[in-house]
Amino acid sequence: PADAPHGFGGGALDRNRPLSFKLDGRVIEGFSGDTVLSALLANGMTSSGMLEGEPIALDERSAPLVAPRSEPRALMPMDRVPALAGLDLVTTSSGPRVSLIRRLLSRFSRSGRDALLPQASHAPWLEAEPETTLETDLLVVGGGLAGLAAAKAATGRVILAERRTWLGGDARYFGATGDEETPADAIARLTAGLEAEVLLSTEIFALIGTTARAHQVQVENGRLRARVIAIAAQRVVLATGSFERLPLFAGNRLPGVVGAIAAYHRAERFGLWSGKRTLISTPAAHGYRLALYAKDAGAEVQRITDTRVGPNSRFIDFCKASGVPFTNGLVLQSANRPKGSTALSVGFAVAIDHVQHQTGLTETDLLVAGGALQPDLILWLRSGGRAAWHNGALHAKGEIPGVAIAGSAAGYLSLTACLASGDAAVRGTTQPIDDPEIDPIYESPDGATPVAPRLDTHSATWLDPMGHLRRPADPIQFMPVEPLHLGEFAALVQLGAIPVAQAGTVAAERCIAGSPIADTGWRPGIPAASDELPPYLAGRFGPKPQLATVTSADARYFERGALIFASSTVTDPAQAVGVIVGPTPGGGIGGRASIEREASKGETQLFVRDAGGAVPIERIEKLRP
């Protein structure tokens, strides 16, 4: 209901302004303030399709893209599209059809209808040219507490870009620590009189130096519009926050399974809580806080299961006082939806040390599956930042000229530290930032993202957001060839498929999908043919190498850098007797080579090794004695 306690009635909605729109010809009812995604969920549309023969939940991770029927190429993520009266939308997948290569790699097997899952690395706007370029002194990426604090502290022109349709990030979910001001008060204080230009529904997807590219969803004259813009800034603050990891258990992407933070925002923003009965699994105290709020709002919280053993928290005490049952030392083992049933059948497992005992099954309508937090470092990595794995997550390290990182993206946890880091990122202060924590005696540290002791082979166990374990018994054998989402990467580290010591290097190489290749204007200098050898070759092929032109029977052009060997079977660069150093004078076939004196004498057959293999040299013509 609209008057649900704790704001769970949907603060973004105006229930006095109902509306309707069409999606793929179906009429969807909603309210002013809904997004397309929230309206679909409120209308009972819970699946985005089938994959591996199982339905995939329609949620913030896997919602298909939508576009106006009149402009089917203007694709937009439905969680960033406002619900407008009279919209006529169609859904589509932005990625290619499942290719033969992917099927050979056994990443997907096609069963039933393909889920319309968005392909982050193939989003059409990633390669689009910007319509316009905005210039600013400071670009702040992220509208959470750290981003708002940075924008508030800055002078000059400031642009704040936020992917979501609201400001404040996840602060309301986490609440205050100790005697801190409440997140609601902090957000109100920071937004009051904020002079920055705020761009909501604007996702920064690339950062090259201090110039960003963004995909923006706008409403102009009552019509939806999507565009790509560039933002050229003098300085950038990355306040991109953290995201909740997906626990690993069989059936973890079925409809009815949702993350704890997503469940909170659905209720607090849009008044959504799917089903009456709720099970909550959590590795942190905030899961108990969510349970209390849900119970007060009218949901039946059947039980909270905590992956930790003997945790302490004031919220646990509150649950005791409120009569909410809870059990610790349990992790999610499986979830499945029996044929013909609208409920989930959920199994847990005892995971204390080496004891692994599976419990009975519990039927529920909604399974809230909480995980640990991973700082969102995608833009940091894409712009050349370094990272390292510690305390169960990938964290930023080092510096990037002109780019600062703040808030939970920088590893800070408390409201106080996030605010201070946003301010410090703008002012350039380097003093240590206090990140207050409650004594572990009173508040146990958060646990790791839950992983089932035995990954069930009967249902797919998905990584976050797209890859899933084809060989649950041996996750090290699973390593997709596609670029990795940061959540998918973190899961592979936790499973042992990526060594902790190499995590930072692998993340820099594998988690950068979507960055466009920009023309910086630099061009390599191409020297004209010359009898002078490049300085870096001094002594490489003897003190006085022979400079000559070489050709082959098939009259090909040799590439600069192709090595010359005395045998067609030798491939070791250390055993090369020469190298192609440039084109022949006049641009003829073959190439100009530097060759060891002894190797160039007599009738010795030499070979140039290029992309086509070992090519016998047909003729050697000396250019100098």
Side-chain angles (χ1 to χ4, degrees), residues 326-345:
F326 65 91
T327 307
N328 31 36
L330 291 181
V331 296
L332 286 164
Q333 175 66 38
S334 64
N336 65 81
R337 189 181 296 275
K339 189 173 182 180
S341 175
T342 59
L344 287 171
S345 182

PDB file of all heavy atoms in Angstrom, residues 326-345:
ATOM      1  N   PHE A 326      15.201 -16.921  12.497  1.00  0.00           N
ATOM      2  CA  PHE A 326      16.453 -16.884  11.738  1.00  0.00           C
ATOM      3  C   PHE A 326      17.333 -18.052  12.140  1.00  0.00           C
ATOM      4  O   PHE A 326      17.229 -18.602  13.235  1.00  0.00           O
ATOM      5  CB  PHE A 326      17.183 -15.549  11.928  1.00  0.00           C
ATOM      6  CG  PHE A 326      17.656 -15.293  13.332  1.00  0.00           C
ATOM      7  CD1 PHE A 326      18.929 -15.685  13.742  1.00  0.00           C
ATOM      8  CD2 PHE A 326      16.839 -14.650  14.246  1.00  0.00           C
ATOM      9  CE1 PHE A 326      19.360 -15.447  15.026  1.00  0.00           C
ATOM     10  CE2 PHE A 326      17.272 -14.403  15.543  1.00  0.00           C
ATOM     11  CZ  PHE A 326      18.531 -14.809  15.938  1.00  0.00           C
ATOM     12  N   THR A 327      18.199 -18.441  11.207  1.00  0.00           N
ATOM     13  CA  THR A 327      19.139 -19.542  11.410  1.00  0.00           C
ATOM     14  C   THR A 327      20.466 -19.132  10.804  1.00  0.00           C
ATOM     15  O   THR A 327      20.502 -18.549   9.720  1.00  0.00           O
ATOM     16  CB  THR A 327      18.646 -20.831  10.711  1.00  0.00           C
ATOM     17  OG1 THR A 327      17.317 -21.116  11.119  1.00  0.00           O
ATOM     18  CG2 THR A 327      19.553 -22.009  11.045  1.00  0.00           C
ATOM     19  N   ASN A 328      21.585 -19.413  11.495  1.00  0.00           N
ATOM     20  CA  ASN A 328      22.872 -19.101  10.889  1.00  0.00           C
ATOM     21  C   ASN A 328      23.649 -20.362  10.554  1.00  0.00           C
ATOM     22  O   ASN A 328      23.282 -21.458  10.940  1.00  0.00           O
ATOM     23  CB  ASN A 328      23.706 -18.138  11.751  1.00  0.00           C
ATOM     24  CG  ASN A 328      23.454 -18.298  13.232  1.00  0.00           C
ATOM     25  OD1 ASN A 328      23.251 -19.380  13.665  1.00  0.00           O
ATOM     26  ND2 ASN A 328      23.454 -17.236  13.973  1.00  0.00           N
ATOM     27  N   GLY A 329      24.716 -20.155   9.760  1.00  0.00           N
ATOM     28  CA  GLY A 329      25.513 -21.282   9.293  1.00  0.00           C
ATOM     29  C   GLY A 329      24.906 -22.022   8.132  1.00  0.00           C
ATOM     30  O   GLY A 329      25.273 -23.163   7.858  1.00  0.00           O
ATOM     31  N   LEU A 330      23.976 -21.382   7.400  1.00  0.00           N
ATOM     32  CA  LEU A 330      23.342 -22.015   6.240  1.00  0.00           C
ATOM     33  C   LEU A 330      23.626 -21.212   4.979  1.00  0.00           C
ATOM     34  O   LEU A 330      23.638 -19.983   5.005  1.00  0.00           O
ATOM     35  CB  LEU A 330      21.819 -22.112   6.421  1.00  0.00           C
ATOM     36  CG  LEU A 330      21.265 -23.069   7.476  1.00  0.00           C
ATOM     37  CD1 LEU A 330      19.739 -23.021   7.450  1.00  0.00           C
ATOM     38  CD2 LEU A 330      21.759 -24.481   7.243  1.00  0.00           C
ATOM     39  N   VAL A 331      23.862 -21.909   3.882  1.00  0.00           N
ATOM     40  CA  VAL A 331      23.985 -21.258   2.579  1.00  0.00           C
ATOM     41  C   VAL A 331      22.938 -21.847   1.641  1.00  0.00           C
ATOM     42  O   VAL A 331      22.464 -22.967   1.837  1.00  0.00           O
ATOM     43  CB  VAL A 331      25.389 -21.439   1.968  1.00  0.00           C
ATOM     44  CG1 VAL A 331      26.445 -20.764   2.808  1.00  0.00           C
ATOM     45  CG2 VAL A 331      25.710 -22.907   1.766  1.00  0.00           C
ATOM     46  N   LEU A 332      22.567 -21.078   0.641  1.00  0.00           N
ATOM     47  CA  LEU A 332      21.614 -21.556  -0.349  1.00  0.00           C
ATOM     48  C   LEU A 332      22.231 -22.687  -1.170  1.00  0.00           C
ATOM     49  O   LEU A 332      23.366 -22.580  -1.644  1.00  0.00           O
ATOM     50  CB  LEU A 332      21.208 -20.406  -1.276  1.00  0.00           C
ATOM     51  CG  LEU A 332      20.266 -19.374  -0.664  1.00  0.00           C
ATOM     52  CD1 LEU A 332      20.237 -18.106  -1.500  1.00  0.00           C
ATOM     53  CD2 LEU A 332      18.859 -19.954  -0.544  1.00  0.00           C
ATOM     54  N   GLN A 333      21.489 -23.772  -1.320  1.00  0.00           N
ATOM     55  CA  GLN A 333      21.947 -24.914  -2.095  1.00  0.00           C
ATOM     56  C   GLN A 333      21.263 -24.974  -3.457  1.00  0.00           C
ATOM     57  O   GLN A 333      21.888 -25.252  -4.461  1.00  0.00           O
ATOM     58  CB  GLN A 333      21.672 -26.212  -1.328  1.00  0.00           C
ATOM     59  CG  GLN A 333      21.995 -27.491  -2.087  1.00  0.00           C
ATOM     60  CD  GLN A 333      23.482 -27.646  -2.343  1.00  0.00           C
ATOM     61  OE1 GLN A 333      24.294 -27.310  -1.487  1.00  0.00           O
ATOM     62  NE2 GLN A 333      23.850 -28.129  -3.519  1.00  0.00           N
ATOM     63  N   SER A 334      19.960 -24.700  -3.472  1.00  0.00           N
ATOM     64  CA  SER A 334      19.237 -24.810  -4.739  1.00  0.00           C
ATOM     65  C   SER A 334      17.909 -24.083  -4.651  1.00  0.00           C
ATOM     66  O   SER A 334      17.363 -23.861  -3.557  1.00  0.00           O
ATOM     67  CB  SER A 334      18.982 -26.285  -5.090  1.00  0.00           C
ATOM     68  OG  SER A 334      18.137 -26.881  -4.112  1.00  0.00           O
ATOM     69  N   ALA A 335      17.413 -23.703  -5.811  1.00  0.00           N
ATOM     70  CA  ALA A 335      16.054 -23.184  -5.947  1.00  0.00           C
ATOM     71  C   ALA A 335      15.488 -23.754  -7.237  1.00  0.00           C
ATOM     72  O   ALA A 335      16.183 -23.806  -8.259  1.00  0.00           O
ATOM     73  CB  ALA A 335      16.054 -21.661  -5.983  1.00  0.00           C
ATOM     74  N   ASN A 336      14.274 -24.203  -7.182  1.00  0.00           N
ATOM     75  CA  ASN A 336      13.625 -24.671  -8.406  1.00  0.00           C
ATOM     76  C   ASN A 336      12.139 -24.382  -8.325  1.00  0.00           C
ATOM     77  O   ASN A 336      11.597 -24.170  -7.242  1.00  0.00           O
ATOM     78  CB  ASN A 336      13.892 -26.159  -8.653  1.00  0.00           C
ATOM     79  CG  ASN A 336      13.288 -27.039  -7.583  1.00  0.00           C
ATOM     80  OD1 ASN A 336      12.094 -27.336  -7.625  1.00  0.00           O
ATOM     81  ND2 ASN A 336      14.090 -27.468  -6.615  1.00  0.00           N
ATOM     82  N   ARG A 337      11.520 -24.347  -9.469  1.00  0.00           N
ATOM     83  CA  ARG A 337      10.091 -24.064  -9.547  1.00  0.00           C
ATOM     84  C   ARG A 337       9.409 -25.302 -10.111  1.00  0.00           C
ATOM     85  O   ARG A 337       9.509 -25.574 -11.318  1.00  0.00           O
ATOM     86  CB  ARG A 337       9.830 -22.850 -10.442  1.00  0.00           C
ATOM     87  CG  ARG A 337       8.394 -22.345 -10.420  1.00  0.00           C
ATOM     88  CD  ARG A 337       8.242 -21.147 -11.353  1.00  0.00           C
ATOM     89  NE  ARG A 337       9.031 -20.009 -10.925  1.00  0.00           N
ATOM     90  CZ  ARG A 337       8.614 -19.121 -10.023  1.00  0.00           C
ATOM     91  NH1 ARG A 337       7.423 -19.253  -9.464  1.00  0.00           N
ATOM     92  NH2 ARG A 337       9.369 -18.106  -9.692  1.00  0.00           N
ATOM     93  N   PRO A 338       8.765 -26.087  -9.263  1.00  0.00           N
ATOM     94  CA  PRO A 338       8.105 -27.308  -9.748  1.00  0.00           C
ATOM     95  C   PRO A 338       7.103 -26.996 -10.855  1.00  0.00           C
ATOM     96  O   PRO A 338       6.483 -25.929 -10.873  1.00  0.00           O
ATOM     97  CB  PRO A 338       7.394 -27.847  -8.491  1.00  0.00           C
ATOM     98  CG  PRO A 338       8.174 -27.270  -7.346  1.00  0.00           C
ATOM     99  CD  PRO A 338       8.616 -25.916  -7.808  1.00  0.00           C
ATOM    100  N   LYS A 339       6.999 -27.918 -11.781  1.00  0.00           N
ATOM    101  CA  LYS A 339       6.119 -27.719 -12.924  1.00  0.00           C
ATOM    102  C   LYS A 339       4.694 -27.448 -12.465  1.00  0.00           C
ATOM    103  O   LYS A 339       4.139 -28.165 -11.622  1.00  0.00           O
ATOM    104  CB  LYS A 339       6.151 -28.956 -13.820  1.00  0.00           C
ATOM    105  CG  LYS A 339       5.426 -28.766 -15.144  1.00  0.00           C
ATOM    106  CD  LYS A 339       5.634 -29.958 -16.059  1.00  0.00           C
ATOM    107  CE  LYS A 339       4.950 -29.750 -17.401  1.00  0.00           C
ATOM    108  NZ  LYS A 339       5.151 -30.904 -18.318  1.00  0.00           N
ATOM    109  N   GLY A 340       4.111 -26.388 -13.001  1.00  0.00           N
ATOM    110  CA  GLY A 340       2.742 -26.028 -12.665  1.00  0.00           C
ATOM    111  C   GLY A 340       2.609 -25.207 -11.411  1.00  0.00           C
ATOM    112  O   GLY A 340       1.499 -24.814 -11.042  1.00  0.00           O
ATOM    113  N   SER A 341       3.730 -24.918 -10.722  1.00  0.00           N
ATOM    114  CA  SER A 341       3.681 -24.163  -9.477  1.00  0.00           C
ATOM    115  C   SER A 341       4.158 -22.738  -9.707  1.00  0.00           C
ATOM    116  O   SER A 341       5.037 -22.483 -10.533  1.00  0.00           O
ATOM    117  CB  SER A 341       4.554 -24.833  -8.413  1.00  0.00           C
ATOM    118  OG  SER A 341       4.610 -24.036  -7.239  1.00  0.00           O
ATOM    119  N   THR A 342       3.609 -21.813  -8.967  1.00  0.00           N
ATOM    120  CA  THR A 342       4.070 -20.428  -9.010  1.00  0.00           C
ATOM    121  C   THR A 342       5.048 -20.135  -7.893  1.00  0.00           C
ATOM    122  O   THR A 342       5.570 -19.024  -7.797  1.00  0.00           O
ATOM    123  CB  THR A 342       2.880 -19.457  -8.901  1.00  0.00           C
ATOM    124  OG1 THR A 342       2.187 -19.704  -7.670  1.00  0.00           O
ATOM    125  CG2 THR A 342       1.919 -19.642 -10.065  1.00  0.00           C
ATOM    126  N   ALA A 343       5.299 -21.124  -7.024  1.00  0.00           N
ATOM    127  CA  ALA A 343       6.183 -20.928  -5.876  1.00  0.00           C
ATOM    128  C   ALA A 343       7.558 -21.522  -6.158  1.00  0.00           C
ATOM    129  O   ALA A 343       7.738 -22.362  -7.050  1.00  0.00           O
ATOM    130  CB  ALA A 343       5.576 -21.570  -4.628  1.00  0.00           C
ATOM    131  N   LEU A 344       8.535 -21.090  -5.393  1.00  0.00           N
ATOM    132  CA  LEU A 344       9.884 -21.632  -5.449  1.00  0.00           C
ATOM    133  C   LEU A 344      10.062 -22.679  -4.365  1.00  0.00           C
ATOM    134  O   LEU A 344       9.529 -22.542  -3.252  1.00  0.00           O
ATOM    135  CB  LEU A 344      10.921 -20.527  -5.227  1.00  0.00           C
ATOM    136  CG  LEU A 344      11.159 -19.522  -6.352  1.00  0.00           C
ATOM    137  CD1 LEU A 344      12.053 -18.394  -5.846  1.00  0.00           C
ATOM    138  CD2 LEU A 344      11.791 -20.196  -7.559  1.00  0.00           C
ATOM    139  N   SER A 345      10.800 -23.715  -4.666  1.00  0.00           N
ATOM    140  CA  SER A 345      11.185 -24.721  -3.683  1.00  0.00           C
ATOM    141  C   SER A 345      12.675 -24.522  -3.411  1.00  0.00           C
ATOM    142  O   SER A 345      13.502 -24.701  -4.311  1.00  0.00           O
ATOM    143  CB  SER A 345      10.908 -26.123  -4.217  1.00  0.00           C
ATOM    144  OG  SER A 345      11.223 -27.093  -3.256  1.00  0.00           O
TER     145      SER A 345
END
